[in-house]
């Protein structure tokens, strides 16, 4: 995520389920896969938030809920506008997920487009700076480290040990440049702990159910483009819902979308690459 600097990790776990037949000694037990999202904070070296329960509920009460597979995720900049070409446009950084279901060959796969927003919030209480009690910190400062500083060109970041100081002193120009970037990152982490006691949360914004699995997703000119079955669909976000803007029938299911300005490059397994051009002026 660009604004917060956090990373989204998609994880899965399986759970054994009861089958319709009595199990035999050499049978493979049926399993169900459950997915969840975790928000990783690189400044604190921890997971700030977790979002699970990716389940599609059927319309009838007799049907069981279906576990969703998270097939794609993308951090995009969406333009919130009432219509295409509107003068009042608000850019929002969001995380878009594409999901799908797997119920075997007898049932069609369905999916959802899920919009998430990263929201910062203040932590209650102060951070514990003890090394032994707080195992989520990946660095520490001691009194000895604070007395040992580098030159001004290395941002005056304290070193972890005497061995690291000797390593920097005997390094060549390329290695010193690499160490400077590392020390600048450590300084940013320390400032984050001192001044901004912030924890990031994932906020569920919107979800739209589709008739097929969403295999790839991206953003072009503030519009969300999704590969849904054999189609490419473009959606506009108006603040409350996703509104369909344009669609295109592709040759086969695509698994990757790359955006280069107004161009869309899609890739599938069998027929290679396709290049498309989005003309916003004609659509407006």
């Amino acid at each position: 995520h660009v604004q917060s600097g956090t990373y989204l990790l998609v994880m899965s776990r399986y759970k054994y389920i009861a089958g319709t037949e009595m199990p035999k000694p050499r049978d493979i037990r049926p399993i169900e896969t459950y997915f969840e999202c975790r928000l990783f904070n690189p400044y604190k070296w921890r997971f700030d938030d977790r979002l699970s329960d990716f389940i599609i509920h059927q319309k009838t009460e007799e049907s069981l809920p279906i576990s969703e597979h998270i097939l794609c995720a993308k951090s995009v900049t969406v333009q919130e506008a009432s219509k295409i070409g509107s003068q009042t446009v608000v850019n929002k950084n969001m995380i878009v997920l594409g999901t799908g279901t797997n119920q075997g060959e007898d049932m069609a796969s369905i999916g959802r487009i899920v919009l998430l927003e990263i929201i910062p919030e203040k932590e209650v209480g102060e951070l514990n700076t003890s090394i032994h009690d707080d195992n989520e910190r990946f660095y520490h400062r001691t009194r000895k480290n604070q007395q040992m500083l580098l030159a001004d060109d290395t941002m005056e970041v304290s070193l972890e040990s005497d061995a690291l100081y000797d390593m920097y002193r005997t390094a060549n120009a390329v290695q010193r440049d690499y160490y400077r970037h590392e020390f600048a990152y450590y300084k940013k982490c320390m400032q984050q702990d001192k001044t901004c006691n912030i924890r990031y949360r994932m906020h569920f914004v919107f979800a739209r159910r589709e008739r097929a699995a969403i295999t790839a997703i991206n953003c072009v000119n503030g519009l969300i483009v999704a590969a849904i079955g054999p189609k490419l669909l473009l959606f506009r976000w108006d603040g409350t819902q996703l509104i369909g803007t344009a669609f295109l029938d592709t040759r086969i299911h695509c698994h990757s979308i790359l955006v280069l300005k107004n161009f869309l490059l899609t890739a599938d397994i069998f027929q290679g690459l396709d290049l498309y051009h989005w003309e916003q002026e004609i659509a407006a």
Side-chain angles (χ1 to χ4, degrees):
H1 190 255
V2 179
Q3 274 188 333
S4 61
T6 55
Y7 295 89
L8 183 74
L9 273 74
V10 177
M11 310 175 69
S12 65
R13 57 183 176 86
Y14 66 89
K15 179 181 179 182
Y16 290 108
I17 59 176
T20 57
E21 300 179 357
M22 292 295 294
K24 297 179 181 179
R26 296 181 62 85
D27 285 349
I28 300 176
R29 297 180 60 183
I31 61 174
E32 184 75 28
T33 307
Y34 295 92
F35 281 74
E36 67 178 15
C37 294
R38 293 191 180 186
L39 191 64
F40 178 71
N41 190 341
Y43 306 117
K44 305 293 183 65
W45 202 256
R46 68 182 181 190
F47 292 106
D48 279 356
D49 198 8
R50 184 181 70 174
L51 184 63
S52 57
D53 297 333
F54 284 91
I55 295 175
I56 294 181
H57 296 277
Q58 299 294 329
K59 296 181 180 179
T60 59
E61 298 180 356
E62 298 178 356
S63 302
L64 296 175
I66 307 172
S67 175
E68 291 180 287
H69 293 209
I70 301 177
L71 303 178
C72 54
K74 188 72 175 180
S75 176
V76 298
T77 302
V78 180
Q79 291 184 356
E80 181 178 325
S82 57
K83 62 180 181 179
I84 297 180
S86 177
Q87 298 298 327
T88 58
V89 176
V90 179
N91 293 328
K92 285 193 173 182
N93 290 322
M94 290 186 176
I95 294 177
V96 186
L97 305 178
T99 67
T101 60
N102 182 14
Q103 306 177 73
E105 60 183 6
D106 297 331
M107 300 293 291
S109 178
I110 59 177
R112 291 191 305 168
I113 300 176
V114 182
L115 300 183
L116 302 177
E117 200 170 6
I118 308 300
I119 298 177
E121 65 176 20
K122 279 284 186 179
E123 285 185 331
V124 179
E126 297 181 355
L127 283 175
N128 188 4
T129 57
S130 176
I131 303 171
H132 303 286
D133 298 337
D134 190 2
N135 55 3
E136 294 180 340
R137 299 173 63 90
F138 67 96
Y139 70 92
H140 66 277
R141 296 187 67 182
T142 62
R143 186 174 300 176
K144 180 180 179 181
N145 291 338
Q146 292 177 358
Q147 296 174 357
M148 185 182 300
L149 300 177
L150 288 179
D152 296 336
D153 56 352
T154 58
M155 306 290 290
E156 292 189 355
V157 180
S158 62
L159 293 172
E160 297 288 339
S161 62
D162 297 336
L164 186 59
Y165 177 77
D166 296 335
M167 187 184 302
Y168 177 82
R169 187 177 57 184
T170 58
N172 55 30
V174 177
Q175 293 174 342
R176 288 193 176 189
D177 184 65
Y178 170 77
Y179 292 149
R180 291 193 191 100
H181 285 85
E182 291 295 316
F183 297 149
Y185 178 74
Y186 279 2
K187 182 181 180 181
K188 187 176 182 181
C189 295
M190 289 184 281
Q191 290 177 351
Q192 184 81 4
D193 282 353
K194 284 183 178 180
T195 60
C196 302
N197 192 8
I198 294 176
R199 177 183 292 268
Y200 295 96
R201 297 292 185 185
M202 287 185 290
H203 174 62
F204 177 82
V205 179
F206 180 76
R208 176 190 172 100
R209 184 180 296 189
E210 300 293 339
R211 296 181 179 179
I214 291 87
T215 54
I217 206 158
N218 212 315
C219 182
V220 54
N221 285 355
L223 302 176
I224 296 175
V225 52
I228 305 174
K231 294 180 180 292
L232 279 180
L233 281 84
L234 272 76
F235 298 96
R236 172 174 53 86
W237 174 248
D238 66 346
T240 57
Q241 61 180 345
L242 289 175
I243 301 175
T245 303
F247 75 94
L248 177 68
D249 291 322
T250 58
R251 294 181 294 179
I252 201 169
H253 290 63
C254 71
H255 61 82
S256 179
I257 300 175
L258 179 63
V259 175
L260 301 171
K261 294 186 178 180
N262 295 340
F263 293 92
L264 301 174
L265 184 65
T266 63
D268 58 67
I269 300 176
F270 298 102
Q271 298 182 3
L273 303 176
D274 290 316
L275 184 64
Y276 305 102
H277 182 217
W278 165 245
E279 297 181 355
Q280 186 173 357
E281 291 77 10
I282 298 177

